[in-house]
Amino acid sequence: MPQATLQAWVSLYAAVGVMVAMCAVLAVIKTAHDYRSGTSKLPTATVLDKVLVAPRLWVRWQINYLLGASAILGIAIYYAHYLGFGTLVDV
């Protein structure tokens, strides 16, 4: 594998990793904002509702995280285009 190809792949993986981390943090912030602002509510009337608080928070976070997946994909494709698709497939 040529050195330019290896550097392009490492650069692409690093960029996507940074974007994924940013998306995860922003999903946490949005999830907290949803519950604090009252947009989403956690029912805690019964014992079962209290047990299911963590899974409900997890699902809400997953939904908020997946809303950013299209932006991550778009930016990653644009960055791969910037690097040059020919460079990436020169294995």
Side-chain angles (χ1 to χ4, degrees):
M1 177 182 298
Q3 188 67 23
T5 303
L6 182 62
Q7 288 176 346
W9 276 108
V10 168
S11 174
L12 183 63
Y13 274 107
V16 170
V18 168
M19 288 186 297
V20 166
M22 287 173 41
C23 188
V25 169
L26 291 173
V28 167
I29 293 169
K30 184 173 181 333
T31 302
H33 179 270
D34 287 347
Y35 287 113
R36 285 187 176 204
S37 67
T39 306
S40 297
K41 297 192 187 269
L42 288 172
T44 56
T46 65
V47 174
L48 181 61
D49 287 340
K50 291 177 184 176
V51 170
L52 293 176
V53 165
R56 286 182 179 147
L57 281 171
W58 178 254
V59 168
R60 174 58 59 188
W61 179 84
Q62 286 287 325
I63 290 169
N64 290 333
Y65 179 77
L66 289 175
L67 289 174
S70 59
I72 292 172
L73 183 61
I75 293 169
I77 290 172
Y78 183 71
Y79 188 62
H81 175 70
Y82 171 76
L83 291 173
F85 291 116
T87 304
L88 293 170
V89 295
D90 186 24
V91 176

